[in-house]
Amino acid sequence: MITRAKLLRFAGEFRGKLLTSDPRPFIKSAAMSDEDLYHDWVVFENNLIKAKYNPKEIEEVARAFTFSYVGHLYAENRKSGEPYFKHLFRATTRVVQDQIDLDIKSVETTSNTLLHDVVEEAEKSGVLLLSFGFFTVGMIRLHFGQEIAYDVLC
């Protein structure tokens, strides 16, 4: 199981490098606290365990989960007012539930679902990652590999 400290360390790894291309101050969504992140992760991790993900695979997905979370910290909220990350959380939970039902697992599919619009949302909100530029497909390739980067691009 991924501890709260480890999950927040992953988030800090990405968040610590954040800058914005927009000089105006930006406001983080009030609904996107570290406590919310950890609560959502615990629920999500239980589904991964049910889907028979091993500890290494769970850690890979935890990194995608936190990367997506940080990439959406300053994204616009959905029309309903909730943070956009909640949509990704629900969509990915559904993907993992389908994997449980079909008795399959796929770290790539799970990670792709979490990451599928990080690049677009980060560009819209002007979020930069120090040293690497925007949350780009290149950033995803660096952190998650070529296959996931290609799928996110498509």
Side-chain angles (χ1 to χ4, degrees):
M1 295 188 86
I2 302 293
T3 64
R4 181 181 185 282
K6 190 171 202 172
L7 189 71
L8 295 181
R9 188 173 66 244
F10 290 158
E13 175 185 329
F14 299 122
R15 186 188 298 126
K17 298 173 182 173
L18 278 176
L19 292 177
T20 178
S21 60
D22 187 340
R24 295 171 292 156
F26 45 74
I27 300 169
K28 185 172 99 168
S29 171
M32 298 283 284
S33 71
D34 287 345
E35 289 308 313
D36 289 330
L37 168 69
Y38 184 66
H39 176 268
D40 287 349
W41 171 254
V42 169
V43 170
F44 190 71
E45 185 179 39
N46 286 332
N47 286 320
L48 295 175
I49 291 167
K50 287 178 192 170
K52 301 178 184 151
Y53 280 62
N54 67 42
K56 183 178 184 279
E57 293 166 332
I58 289 173
E59 187 163 324
E60 287 179 47
V61 173
R63 290 184 60 77
F65 190 90
T66 54
F67 188 89
S68 180
Y69 166 80
V70 171
H72 286 87
L73 275 175
Y74 303 100
E76 292 189 22
N77 287 342
R78 294 175 59 85
K79 287 181 183 177
S80 66
E82 76 175 352
Y84 199 84
F85 178 77
K86 295 292 187 176
H87 157 71
L88 297 171
F89 171 74
R90 282 193 307 276
T92 308
T93 298
R94 178 60 194 251
V95 165
V96 173
Q97 284 295 325
D98 289 347
Q99 291 176 16
I100 292 168
D101 294 344
L102 298 170
D103 197 27
I104 59 172
K105 66 177 178 177
S106 170
V107 173
E108 291 79 17
T109 300
T110 302
S111 295
N112 287 340
T113 307
L114 284 164
L115 297 169
H116 76 270
D117 71 350
V118 157
V119 174
E120 178 184 347
E121 289 301 317
E123 286 175 352
K124 279 198 269 182
S125 62
V127 173
L128 290 171
L129 202 55
L130 185 64
S131 307
F132 299 109
F134 282 101
F135 276 79
T136 62
V137 173
M139 275 289 298
I140 291 171
R141 183 182 320 110
L142 177 69
H143 288 285
F144 305 102
Q146 179 63 37
E147 185 176 331
I148 290 174
Y150 177 79
D151 290 343
V152 167
L153 183 62
C154 295

